[in-house]
Amino acid sequence: MSDQEVMITMKDVNKWYGDFHVLKDVNLNIKKGEKVVICGPSGSGKSTTIRCLNHLEKFQEGSININGTELIEDVKVVRHIRSQVGMVFQHFNLFPHLSVLENLLIAPTWVHKKPRKEAIETAMYYLERVKIAEQAHKYPNQLSGGQQQRVAIARCLCINPEIMLFDEPTSALDPEMVSEVLDVMVELADEGITMICVTHEMGFAKKVADRVVFMDAGQVIEENEPNEFFDNPQSDRLKLFLEQILSH
Amino acid sequence: MATYTMKEAKPAPTTNKGVVFWLRENLFPDVKNTLLTLAGLYILYAIIPPLLNWMIFDATWTGSKDEVVNSGARWIFIVEKFDQFMYGFYPEALHWRPNLVGILSLVLIFGFKYIGSVKLKIATIILFPIICFVLISGGWFGLEVVETEKWGGLMLTILVAAVGIVASFPIGVVLALGRQSNMPILRTLCIGFIEFVRGVPLITILFMASVLLPLFFHDGIEFNKLLRALIGITLFQAAYIAEVIRGGLQAIPKGQYEASEALGLTYWQGMILIILPQALKISIPNLVGSFISLFKDTTLVLIIGLFDILAMVTLTNSDTNWLGYEVEGYVFVTLIYWVCCFSMSQYSKSIERKFNTEH
């Protein structure tokens, strides 16, 4: 693996909330264009891990390198990294006081300083892509959960990110809306963007992921390509976890 | 050809709507409630007709004070002193200037939303107070200077309230943000200021502004009395605004901060574009409540020798030609205050409706 190909390197990352050790020596290397699914029981540190990547969470030890930039606590560095990393949240976090279109224009016009006209064209293109262009002038609260999450994905795409982080994107959705969001994510995966996705959707992991990472109690327990991961788990902890989530 | 026969009409169901039903249900359901209703009606009967008689039917509206024959209110007092109630000692020939400011303000309040571009809006917000100040105080463009000692009446009340509201708002926002800041010194300063100001009555602050402020400056500098009062009121109001806005800021979900950070917005971009618009929107009812209090509190400026509308009424009552007209004067002032405060609360409701993006 040459340096050129590496997109994300996490090296011995440790994080504490007070005395509570949330991340223990997390090491993760992700290549450009790779799709990685992180799973694990709740409280295992999966969300915290990906939130460290765009500095929504600070870490105390170790190092993170994103697309050649060392993540340090410096406003400019953090902004530079965030401008390449899109994040989709569990609860969408659209801006309720702005229309769907305005939600998509904020980052391109204010962070990337694109002319408004160009930004609108890009925004409409991505709204088309997530099949929601006709709702452009509605407000987020007028849309269903699935539609809101698709808008949130489009909002990230508008900044043309190198990396997309998904933090349990379907967990807050009604069951019948999960597939419309997953469909968009599968399409996205086909385009070669680097994706890291925290999810419990094992079907999605099997279909899309190049690699599945299992975390428990703040540590990476096991990582493997999906077939091996699901059919031939090594650790007892993963075996138990897979039994629990696949038993239904 | 089929034949149709009219069906026998059914008796109407027992009425469950209409005036009679409503009366029976709400006012006369049983003996106890009937008695209470009757008592209530009697109280209304005892108050309303005499009040209407005094205020309207038996009132004297025109003529001179020596010709009054009716037993009701002698509104001629108000008519006679109307200009003083409105403008204080502002020269009569120049009343058109505050009038023009009033008309411009109304145009701005109702027309602001029709201004298209953001730049024009900002320009208006900055220029408008300057235009108002120049119009009222004069001294430029050949306008005759009117010293602040001559300002008074409703004009002064509205002016003090308006300056207090407009100037305290940005300070309040900054204080609210400062109170949430990660920087310990800034946070401590903001908390200290807010808690100090909220812990003392407005009247103390006005006294301090009028007595203490001049001590900080050398003898030569004459510090305008009105300006001192305005500074005091603005700082006082800013502390309350800060707390109202802090309440709004705390109601914004953490996800909104995270989303704006994750998109790469800076602190100020995130605050101005994402957080504050939402926080201010949910603060509108409390902000307006605070503004209404301020409007009524402005009357305290009379203790440092400024003549707002209430002080003008008290003053005109000591006119030896017009002794004994207190009731008319105070009823009039009450109505003025009520109209102003009620308008503010209605205006706030219309703003709330405008910003509602739920449906």
Side-chain angles (χ1 to χ4, degrees):
Chain A
M1 192 160 70
S2 77
D3 276 357
Q4 282 290 303
E5 289 176 304
V6 180
M7 196 55 136
I8 299 170
T9 318
M10 289 181 92
K11 200 165 182 306
D12 298 329
V13 171
N14 278 280
K15 178 177 172 61
W16 288 263
Y17 284 125
D19 288 337
F20 180 55
H21 200 173
V22 233
L23 296 182
K24 299 171 189 163
D25 288 330
V26 174
N27 283 290
L28 210 55
N29 288 295
I30 295 169
K31 283 179 285 182
K32 190 175 166 78
E34 206 179 3
K35 326 295 172 222
V36 175
V37 164
I38 305 179
C39 62
S42 62
S44 58
K46 3 181 241 308
S47 289
T48 313
T49 304
I50 68 165
R51 286 161 60 87
C52 281
L53 294 178
N54 66 348
H55 205 252
L56 283 184
E57 302 279 356
K58 293 172 186 169
F59 55 95
Q60 282 90 22
E61 282 176 15
S63 68
I64 294 179
N65 189 301
I66 310 265
N67 200 15
T69 311
E70 195 71 22
L71 177 54
I72 51 169
E73 274 197 43
D74 174 274
V75 181
K76 282 200 179 124
V77 170
V78 170
R79 279 196 82 195
H80 175 67
I81 284 174
R82 282 174 178 165
S83 71
Q84 310 174 44
V85 180
M87 184 170 217
V88 176
F89 298 87
Q90 181 178 359
H91 295 287
F92 332 134
N93 295 353
L94 295 176
F95 306 130
H97 63 302
L98 299 175
S99 71
V100 165
L101 182 61
E102 292 291 341
N103 263 279
L104 270 63
L105 296 180
I106 285 270
T109 51
W110 290 92
V111 181
H112 300 262
K113 311 283 183 205
K114 278 195 194 159
R116 194 176 157 86
K117 195 160 163 269
E118 192 189 321
I120 291 177
E121 275 167 22
T122 318
M124 289 312 292
Y125 168 75
Y126 283 115
L127 283 177
E128 203 82 55
R129 284 275 311 275
V130 299
K131 300 176 187 68
I132 212 158
E134 70 283 0
Q135 317 276 17
H137 296 286
K138 285 194 177 171
Y139 286 93
N141 291 336
Q142 296 167 316
L143 305 181
S144 72
Q147 290 173 319
Q148 289 191 48
Q149 195 60 297
R150 285 186 281 150
V151 172
I153 293 172
R155 181 172 69 178
C156 289
L157 293 175
C158 279
I159 63 171
N160 200 15
E162 296 281 343
I163 302 163
M164 287 280 280
L165 306 173
F166 292 85
D167 189 1
E168 304 202 26
T170 55
S171 303
L173 295 176
D174 290 338
E176 74 270 22
M177 292 169 184
V178 169
S179 67
E180 64 186 70
V181 171
L182 289 180
D183 286 348
V184 168
M185 290 167 61
V186 171
E187 253 180 60
L188 213 61
D190 292 341
E191 284 180 25
I193 195 167
T194 312
M195 275 170 73
I196 307 174
C197 185
V198 172
T199 185
H200 297 120
E201 298 293 334
M202 290 305 133
F204 174 78
K206 281 179 190 165
K207 196 165 165 188
V208 169
D210 298 315
R211 188 152 45 113
V212 185
V213 175
F214 176 67
M215 287 186 74
D216 190 25
Q219 298 178 74
V220 175
I221 304 287
E222 198 171 331
E223 52 181 305
N224 218 328
E225 54 96 17
N227 289 336
E228 278 293 297
F229 183 88
F230 289 109
D231 300 340
N232 190 16
Q234 303 295 311
S235 63
D236 293 340
R237 192 64 196 83
L238 177 55
K239 281 175 196 165
L240 181 66
F241 177 72
L242 288 177
E243 254 170 49
Q244 282 166 342
I245 60 164
L246 298 175
S247 62
H248 303 290
Chain B
M1 200 166 123
T3 54
Y4 296 95
T5 47
M6 201 74 108
K7 268 190 181 171
E8 198 76 27
K10 286 183 188 168
T14 340
T15 176
N16 62 356
K17 52 184 169 217
V19 180
V20 176
F21 178 80
W22 186 88
L23 284 175
R24 206 164 42 207
E25 188 81 339
N26 291 293
L27 297 180
F28 305 103
D30 53 36
V31 177
K32 197 178 75 191
N33 279 300
T34 305
L35 284 176
L36 282 173
T37 302
L38 291 176
L41 285 175
Y42 177 75
I43 292 172
L44 287 180
Y45 167 76
I47 294 174
I48 304 261
L51 194 65
L52 286 179
N53 279 340
W54 184 80
M55 285 186 74
I56 299 166
F57 301 119
D58 291 341
T60 312
W61 302 84
T62 51
S64 83
K65 70 183 172 99
D66 306 317
E67 295 162 3
V68 173
V69 284
N70 294 331
S71 58
R74 296 153 298 173
W75 296 124
I76 42 171
F77 171 65
I78 307 297
V79 176
E80 172 73 22
K81 300 286 186 187
F82 187 77
D83 277 2
Q84 288 189 44
F85 292 160
M86 292 297 120
Y87 310 100
F89 310 107
Y90 206 87
E92 205 176 336
L94 303 176
H95 282 174
W96 64 271
R97 276 155 52 174
N99 287 345
L100 183 58
V101 168
I103 292 166
L104 285 177
S105 307
L106 286 178
V107 170
L108 184 73
I109 289 171
F110 292 103
F112 191 70
K113 59 184 167 199
Y114 299 111
I115 299 177
S117 88
V118 179
K119 276 178 195 157
L120 214 58
K121 277 187 175 171
I122 294 172
T124 316
I125 291 174
I126 294 170
L127 281 178
F128 184 73
I130 300 173
I131 295 171
C132 291
F133 176 77
V134 169
L135 268 173
I136 292 186
S137 93
W140 280 282
F141 309 114
L143 291 171
E144 190 185 323
V145 176
V146 182
E147 293 85 13
T148 55
E149 283 74 23
K150 291 183 179 165
W151 304 7
L154 182 64
M155 181 191 108
L156 185 76
T157 300
I158 292 178
L159 184 119
V160 172
V163 171
I165 289 168
V166 173
S168 68
F169 187 72
I171 304 177
V173 170
V174 171
L175 282 172
L177 293 177
R179 190 169 187 161
Q180 296 209 318
S181 161
N182 295 323
M183 292 176 254
I185 296 175
L186 182 66
R187 190 173 61 233
T188 315
L189 282 176
C190 289
I191 293 177
F193 176 83
I194 292 170
E195 293 305 334
F196 172 73
V197 171
R198 274 162 33 103
V200 290
L202 176 58
I203 208 161
T204 340
I205 295 194
L206 286 175
F207 271 132
M208 271 168 43
S210 74
V211 180
L212 271 183
L213 266 185
L215 294 182
F216 296 134
F217 297 91
H218 296 292
D219 301 334
I221 301 172
E222 175 61 31
F223 216 173
N224 188 297
K225 206 192 317 184
L226 176 62
L227 184 62
R228 287 183 301 209
L230 287 176
I231 292 174
I233 282 182
T234 301
L235 294 181
F236 179 80
Q237 184 67 5
Y240 281 87
I241 298 287
E243 286 300 276
V244 169
I245 292 174
R246 182 168 72 105
L249 287 172
Q250 282 174 345
I252 303 301
K254 207 162 152 263
Q256 294 289 311
Y257 292 86
E258 288 179 351
S260 62
E261 280 179 35
L263 285 174
L265 296 175
T266 63
Y267 173 82
W268 285 108
Q269 286 175 337
M271 280 298 156
I272 292 169
L273 297 169
I274 309 298
I275 306 300
L276 279 175
Q278 298 183 58
L280 294 180
K281 190 181 106 182
I282 46 180
S283 307
I284 290 173
N286 289 332
L287 281 174
V288 174
S290 179
F291 291 154
I292 288 176
S293 304
L294 173 72
F295 185 82
K296 293 182 288 186
D297 285 349
T298 55
T299 196
L300 288 173
V301 297
L302 75 89
I303 60 127
I304 59 167
L306 295 170
F307 289 94
D308 75 325
I309 185 166
L310 191 63
M312 284 312 298
V313 171
T314 313
L315 189 76
T316 45
N317 272 318
S318 59
D319 180 346
T320 42
N321 287 322
W322 291 90
L323 289 175
Y325 288 81
E326 289 91 349
V327 181
E328 283 84 353
Y330 291 127
V331 166
F332 176 69
V333 174
T334 308
L335 281 174
I336 296 269
Y337 272 112
W338 182 79
V339 167
C340 291
C341 294
F342 186 68
S343 313
M344 284 162 87
S345 107
Q346 291 302 305
Y347 188 65
S348 100
K349 278 186 190 165
S350 79
I351 300 178
E352 271 174 72
R353 269 195 301 273
K354 184 178 166 244
F355 287 144
N356 184 6
T357 56
E358 292 295 311
H359 295 291

